[in-house]
Amino acid sequence: MIGLLIALISVFGWLIWTNAFYQVKEGFAMIRSGLGGQKVYFRGSFLAYPIVHQVTKISISEQRVLVNQTGAFSVRAKDHIRINIQLTFWVQIKHTSWDVLKAAQMIDQEEASFKDMLQNSFEPKLKEAITQVVKTFDYQELYEQQERFKMGLIQYLDEDLGSYQLNRINVVEFKHLPLDAYDVDYDVLDAKGYQNLKKILNQP
């Protein structure tokens, strides 16, 4: 009887141990909450016991957010030339416990995916940044000095992404709208952009 009891205790203890041991994988952070408060782990292993602890895994690797502003949503340069632009923003959670905890609060468990959450959270901010920065450049400046444009975006977004940092930006598409896309009869800014684009294209 005593032997059976010892065996049961041993099995029970082994089950608790195997379910309490967590290993942090590369590219992720793990948050242990519950008894003892919240603690963030970036590497190594830790123990979290059933019932008294909850464990959340969150990606801290670089993530892509694609912003597409083309056609009717094209952006206007300082000289009013309209531009189809697609940019890829590479963002990442800052590697501090505070930032990981703040980012974890953003995650809606009902979202289809973590990437969808990022896209929905950041796209409005990124579109606003593109619109504001583009209009400080003439079209030709933007075309010839894209690194300056990207640096302008990074500076504009410096403290606007909360617990995330912006690592880099890739230009996917950058092209002026064709002349026949301008409403020269009813849109004053389009009329100005149309004339400026004609000069660049050397068209009469």
Side-chain angles (χ1 to χ4, degrees):
M1 185 66 181
I2 294 176
L4 178 60
L5 183 61
I6 292 173
L8 289 173
I9 292 173
S10 299
V11 169
F12 183 70
W14 178 81
L15 287 172
I16 291 178
W17 173 261
T18 55
N19 285 282
F21 184 82
Y22 290 84
Q23 182 75 37
V24 184
K25 295 182 179 179
E26 185 176 356
F28 291 90
M30 300 188 81
I31 304 167
R32 187 185 69 184
S33 55
L35 183 66
Q38 290 184 314
K39 183 172 177 59
V40 179
Y41 297 86
F42 293 96
R43 62 182 66 85
S45 58
F46 64 95
L47 296 175
Y49 297 101
I51 302 175
V52 297
H53 291 129
Q54 298 82 45
V55 176
T56 304
K57 182 170 71 172
I58 184 168
S59 173
I60 56 172
S61 61
E62 200 174 54
Q63 304 290 329
R64 183 182 74 168
V65 180
L66 178 64
V67 178
N68 180 7
Q69 291 189 263
T70 59
F73 302 101
S74 60
V75 292
R76 198 184 295 273
K78 186 167 66 175
D79 53 7
H80 307 299
I81 292 175
R82 291 168 57 194
I83 306 165
N84 282 333
I85 190 165
Q86 289 187 65
L87 299 177
T88 299
F89 293 82
W90 296 91
V91 300
Q92 185 175 22
I93 297 175
K94 298 171 186 175
H95 289 191
T96 71
S97 295
W98 188 88
D99 287 306
V100 169
L101 291 171
K102 291 294 289 183
Q105 293 175 8
M106 290 175 55
I107 299 176
D108 185 347
Q109 298 301 323
E110 295 182 359
E111 289 280 0
S113 71
F114 180 62
K115 290 184 178 180
D116 288 342
M117 182 279 296
L118 283 179
Q119 189 74 34
N120 294 335
S121 297
F122 289 133
E123 190 173 24
K125 294 179 181 180
L126 299 177
K127 284 185 173 181
E128 176 64 18
I130 292 169
T131 300
Q132 295 302 320
V133 175
V134 163
K135 69 182 183 182
T136 66
F137 292 86
D138 288 332
Y139 171 75
Q140 203 68 22
E141 289 180 305
L142 284 167
Y143 185 78
E144 295 173 354
Q145 302 177 41
Q146 292 187 11
E147 289 303 315
R148 271 189 63 205
F149 168 54
K150 289 190 282 187
M151 186 56 63
L153 286 172
I154 290 172
Q155 292 172 350
Y156 186 93
L157 291 163
D158 185 32
E159 296 297 331
D160 201 33
L161 298 182
S163 299
Y164 285 76
Q165 64 189 32
L166 175 58
N167 291 344
R168 55 197 170 98
I169 304 169
N170 292 341
V171 177
V172 180
E173 180 184 353
F174 184 93
K175 187 177 182 180
H176 62 75
L177 267 66
L179 288 170
D180 61 10
Y182 289 79
D183 183 1
V184 296
D185 295 322
Y186 299 102
D187 190 316
V188 174
L189 297 182
D190 262 16
K192 292 179 179 179
Y194 177 86
Q195 292 300 326
N196 288 328
L197 182 56
K198 279 180 68 176
K199 292 176 184 177
I200 291 173
L201 299 177
N202 294 315
Q203 292 193 15

